[in-house]
Amino acid sequence: MSPTHHDNDTAPAEVGAASAMESTDSADDLSHNPSGLWSGDTGTLGERTRRVLLELLKGPYVSGTQAPQLWAALVADESLVRSRLHDLFLDLVIDRVDEFAFTRKIVTDEIDAPAAVRSERLTFLDTAMLLVLRQLLLAAPGEKRVIVDREEVYERLAIYRTGDESTFQRNLNGAWSRMSNRLRVLHKAGDDRFEISPMVKFLIDEDRVRELIAVYERIAAGETDTGEIHDGNSDDGGDSIAEAVVDNTDTDASEADSDIDADTEEDDA
């Protein structure tokens, strides 16, 4: 028998042996880690729990209404999810009534905790619109769904118009788009009708609400204007007057450019 013929006879056996070895190694990897989802996986959480953890990190929130399976996984493994978030200096906030959950930086004086999520500085009209949506939501206690008309919200903001009408309308549209696509506190519920998400309650706390109302009342009385409002961080390093956690994946280059243009137009108006 020629050497060439001999090599051809043994090659299939060698390949088969290698395949069997790889299959055995893969099976061993998964048997050593029952929670493994792929070969070499060292994670210990179930697949749905991993997915809800990922959604919490992506932000801005996880909704039991919109994602019931993820919500069920969160409720079942809340302590594990909370522990993983603490590893990243994040706390888990859960609203069990409206079924919302989101993350925020831990609040403690014991250590200097680093910021783990990106914050979005909001324009004046963003904060004003958030306040209006919050007021509309709280004005309907006990209602399962609070539906609003876009024009209704715009009319409530008309008192804060500066500059020409076309610029103000463009800035209103930009703020509305951010409420719908980035902060996700508005969900389409028909022709130009939108449902306000209960999540809007968490984006502005009570102290900030009082501060904003006082500012807006001064503007309405003609005592100040939007140019005096600090949308960004103050000179002394304090927090922005309006700041909210947003989804890092929602912003693309074109959207970011349009936001910058809107902010500039609003400040110049």
Short mmCIF file of all heavy atoms in Angstrom, two decimals, residues 85-111:
data_model
loop_
_atom_site.label_atom_id
_atom_site.label_comp_id
_atom_site.label_asym_id
_atom_site.label_seq_id
_atom_site.Cartn_x
_atom_site.Cartn_y
_atom_site.Cartn_z
N LEU A 85 -25.53 44.93 40.25
CA LEU A 85 -25.51 46.38 40.06
C LEU A 85 -24.65 47.06 41.11
O LEU A 85 -23.93 48.02 40.83
CB LEU A 85 -26.93 46.94 40.10
CG LEU A 85 -27.82 46.57 38.90
CD1 LEU A 85 -29.25 47.03 39.15
CD2 LEU A 85 -27.29 47.17 37.61
N HIS A 86 -24.69 46.55 42.36
CA HIS A 86 -23.84 47.11 43.40
C HIS A 86 -22.36 46.94 43.06
O HIS A 86 -21.53 47.78 43.43
CB HIS A 86 -24.15 46.43 44.73
CG HIS A 86 -25.43 46.91 45.36
ND1 HIS A 86 -25.98 46.35 46.50
CD2 HIS A 86 -26.27 47.92 45.00
CE1 HIS A 86 -27.09 46.99 46.82
NE2 HIS A 86 -27.29 47.94 45.91
N ASP A 87 -22.03 45.87 42.35
CA ASP A 87 -20.65 45.68 41.89
C ASP A 87 -20.21 46.82 40.99
O ASP A 87 -19.01 47.08 40.84
CB ASP A 87 -20.51 44.36 41.13
CG ASP A 87 -20.54 43.14 42.05
OD1 ASP A 87 -20.27 43.31 43.25
OD2 ASP A 87 -20.84 42.04 41.57
N LEU A 88 -21.18 47.51 40.37
CA LEU A 88 -20.90 48.61 39.44
C LEU A 88 -21.25 49.97 40.05
O LEU A 88 -21.38 50.96 39.33
CB LEU A 88 -21.69 48.40 38.14
CG LEU A 88 -21.41 47.11 37.38
CD1 LEU A 88 -22.35 46.98 36.19
CD2 LEU A 88 -19.96 47.06 36.92
N PHE A 89 -21.41 50.01 41.39
CA PHE A 89 -21.74 51.25 42.09
C PHE A 89 -23.11 51.80 41.68
O PHE A 89 -23.33 53.01 41.68
CB PHE A 89 -20.67 52.32 41.86
CG PHE A 89 -19.29 51.90 42.28
CD1 PHE A 89 -18.38 51.42 41.35
CD2 PHE A 89 -18.90 51.97 43.62
CE1 PHE A 89 -17.12 51.02 41.74
CE2 PHE A 89 -17.63 51.58 44.01
CZ PHE A 89 -16.73 51.09 43.07
N LEU A 90 -24.03 50.91 41.34
CA LEU A 90 -25.38 51.31 40.93
C LEU A 90 -26.41 50.72 41.88
O LEU A 90 -26.22 49.63 42.42
CB LEU A 90 -25.68 50.83 39.50
CG LEU A 90 -24.92 51.51 38.37
CD1 LEU A 90 -25.18 50.78 37.06
CD2 LEU A 90 -25.32 52.97 38.26
N ASP A 91 -27.48 51.45 42.08
CA ASP A 91 -28.59 50.97 42.90
C ASP A 91 -29.77 50.66 41.99
O ASP A 91 -29.91 51.24 40.91
CB ASP A 91 -28.98 52.04 43.93
CG ASP A 91 -29.79 51.44 45.06
OD1 ASP A 91 -29.91 50.20 45.13
OD2 ASP A 91 -30.31 52.21 45.89
N LEU A 92 -30.60 49.75 42.43
CA LEU A 92 -31.80 49.36 41.69
C LEU A 92 -33.01 50.02 42.32
O LEU A 92 -33.26 49.88 43.53
CB LEU A 92 -31.97 47.84 41.70
CG LEU A 92 -33.24 47.28 41.07
CD1 LEU A 92 -33.25 47.54 39.57
CD2 LEU A 92 -33.35 45.77 41.35
N VAL A 93 -33.78 50.74 41.53
CA VAL A 93 -35.00 51.39 42.00
C VAL A 93 -36.18 50.70 41.33
O VAL A 93 -36.22 50.58 40.10
CB VAL A 93 -35.01 52.89 41.65
CG1 VAL A 93 -36.29 53.55 42.17
CG2 VAL A 93 -33.78 53.58 42.23
N ILE A 94 -37.14 50.23 42.14
CA ILE A 94 -38.29 49.50 41.62
C ILE A 94 -39.58 50.15 42.07
O ILE A 94 -39.77 50.44 43.26
CB ILE A 94 -38.27 48.03 42.07
CG1 ILE A 94 -37.04 47.30 41.53
CG2 ILE A 94 -39.54 47.31 41.61
CD1 ILE A 94 -36.98 45.84 41.91
N ASP A 95 -40.46 50.39 41.13
CA ASP A 95 -41.83 50.83 41.42
C ASP A 95 -42.72 49.62 41.15
O ASP A 95 -43.01 49.29 40.00
CB ASP A 95 -42.22 52.00 40.52
CG ASP A 95 -43.64 52.51 40.79
OD1 ASP A 95 -44.40 51.79 41.47
OD2 ASP A 95 -43.96 53.60 40.31
N ARG A 96 -43.16 48.96 42.21
CA ARG A 96 -43.92 47.72 42.04
C ARG A 96 -45.37 47.98 41.63
O ARG A 96 -46.02 47.09 41.09
CB ARG A 96 -43.87 46.90 43.34
CG ARG A 96 -42.45 46.54 43.75
CD ARG A 96 -42.42 45.66 44.99
NE ARG A 96 -41.06 45.52 45.47
CZ ARG A 96 -40.16 44.69 44.95
NH1 ARG A 96 -40.49 43.94 43.92
NH2 ARG A 96 -38.94 44.64 45.43
N VAL A 97 -45.87 49.17 41.91
CA VAL A 97 -47.25 49.49 41.54
C VAL A 97 -47.36 49.67 40.03
O VAL A 97 -48.20 49.04 39.37
CB VAL A 97 -47.72 50.76 42.28
CG1 VAL A 97 -49.12 51.14 41.79
CG2 VAL A 97 -47.70 50.55 43.79
N ASP A 98 -46.53 50.55 39.48
CA ASP A 98 -46.57 50.81 38.04
C ASP A 98 -45.63 49.90 37.25
O ASP A 98 -45.57 49.99 36.02
CB ASP A 98 -46.22 52.27 37.76
CG ASP A 98 -47.29 53.22 38.25
OD1 ASP A 98 -48.47 52.94 38.00
OD2 ASP A 98 -46.94 54.23 38.88
N GLU A 99 -44.90 49.03 37.96
CA GLU A 99 -44.00 48.05 37.35
C GLU A 99 -42.94 48.72 36.47
O GLU A 99 -42.90 48.52 35.25
CB GLU A 99 -44.80 47.00 36.57
CG GLU A 99 -45.70 46.16 37.45
CD GLU A 99 -46.29 44.96 36.72
OE1 GLU A 99 -46.26 44.96 35.46
OE2 GLU A 99 -46.77 44.03 37.39
N PHE A 100 -42.08 49.49 37.14
CA PHE A 100 -40.95 50.12 36.49
C PHE A 100 -39.71 49.86 37.33
O PHE A 100 -39.79 49.81 38.56
CB PHE A 100 -41.15 51.63 36.35
CG PHE A 100 -41.98 52.01 35.17
CD1 PHE A 100 -43.36 52.10 35.27
CD2 PHE A 100 -41.39 52.27 33.94
CE1 PHE A 100 -44.14 52.44 34.18
CE2 PHE A 100 -42.16 52.61 32.85
CZ PHE A 100 -43.53 52.70 32.97
N ALA A 101 -38.60 49.73 36.66
CA ALA A 101 -37.33 49.58 37.37
C ALA A 101 -36.24 50.30 36.58
O ALA A 101 -36.24 50.27 35.35
CB ALA A 101 -36.97 48.11 37.55
N PHE A 102 -35.34 50.95 37.29
CA PHE A 102 -34.23 51.62 36.63
C PHE A 102 -33.05 51.67 37.60
O PHE A 102 -33.18 51.34 38.78
CB PHE A 102 -34.62 53.02 36.17
CG PHE A 102 -35.04 53.95 37.28
CD1 PHE A 102 -34.14 54.85 37.83
CD2 PHE A 102 -36.35 53.92 37.77
CE1 PHE A 102 -34.53 55.71 38.84
CE2 PHE A 102 -36.74 54.78 38.78
CZ PHE A 102 -35.83 55.69 39.33
N THR A 103 -31.92 52.09 37.10
CA THR A 103 -30.71 52.17 37.93
C THR A 103 -30.34 53.62 38.17
O THR A 103 -30.68 54.51 37.39
CB THR A 103 -29.52 51.47 37.25
OG1 THR A 103 -29.20 52.15 36.03
CG2 THR A 103 -29.83 50.01 36.97
N ARG A 104 -29.64 53.84 39.26
CA ARG A 104 -29.07 55.16 39.54
C ARG A 104 -27.82 54.98 40.38
O ARG A 104 -27.61 53.93 40.99
CB ARG A 104 -30.08 56.05 40.26
CG ARG A 104 -30.43 55.61 41.67
CD ARG A 104 -31.49 56.50 42.27
NE ARG A 104 -31.89 56.03 43.60
CZ ARG A 104 -32.96 56.49 44.24
NH1 ARG A 104 -33.73 57.40 43.67
NH2 ARG A 104 -33.28 56.02 45.44
N LYS A 105 -27.00 55.99 40.39
CA LYS A 105 -25.76 55.96 41.17
C LYS A 105 -26.10 55.79 42.65
O LYS A 105 -27.05 56.38 43.15
CB LYS A 105 -24.99 57.26 40.95
CG LYS A 105 -23.69 57.36 41.74
CD LYS A 105 -23.02 58.70 41.47
CE LYS A 105 -21.80 58.91 42.35
NZ LYS A 105 -21.16 60.23 42.10
N ILE A 106 -25.33 54.96 43.33
CA ILE A 106 -25.57 54.76 44.75
C ILE A 106 -25.36 56.07 45.50
O ILE A 106 -24.53 56.89 45.13
CB ILE A 106 -24.66 53.67 45.34
CG1 ILE A 106 -23.18 54.02 45.15
CG2 ILE A 106 -24.98 52.31 44.75
CD1 ILE A 106 -22.26 53.12 45.93
N VAL A 107 -26.16 56.27 46.54
CA VAL A 107 -26.05 57.47 47.36
C VAL A 107 -25.46 57.06 48.71
O VAL A 107 -26.10 56.34 49.48
CB VAL A 107 -27.43 58.12 47.55
CG1 VAL A 107 -27.32 59.36 48.44
CG2 VAL A 107 -28.05 58.48 46.21
N THR A 108 -24.24 57.48 48.98
CA THR A 108 -23.57 57.12 50.23
C THR A 108 -22.47 58.13 50.54
O THR A 108 -21.87 58.70 49.62
CB THR A 108 -22.96 55.70 50.14
OG1 THR A 108 -22.27 55.41 51.35
CG2 THR A 108 -22.00 55.59 48.97
N ASP A 109 -22.25 58.33 51.82
CA ASP A 109 -21.14 59.19 52.27
C ASP A 109 -19.92 58.36 52.67
O ASP A 109 -18.89 58.91 53.05
CB ASP A 109 -21.58 60.04 53.47
CG ASP A 109 -22.68 61.02 53.11
OD1 ASP A 109 -22.67 61.51 51.95
OD2 ASP A 109 -23.55 61.30 53.96
N GLU A 110 -20.05 57.04 52.56
CA GLU A 110 -18.99 56.16 53.04
C GLU A 110 -17.83 56.04 52.07
O GLU A 110 -16.69 55.81 52.47
CB GLU A 110 -19.57 54.78 53.34
CG GLU A 110 -20.63 54.81 54.43
CD GLU A 110 -21.32 53.47 54.58
OE1 GLU A 110 -20.63 52.52 55.02
OE2 GLU A 110 -22.51 53.37 54.24
N ILE A 111 -18.10 56.17 50.78
CA ILE A 111 -17.05 56.12 49.76
C ILE A 111 -17.34 57.17 48.70
O ILE A 111 -18.46 57.67 48.60
CB ILE A 111 -16.95 54.73 49.09
CG1 ILE A 111 -18.25 54.42 48.34
CG2 ILE A 111 -16.61 53.64 50.10
CD1 ILE A 111 -18.13 53.20 47.44
#
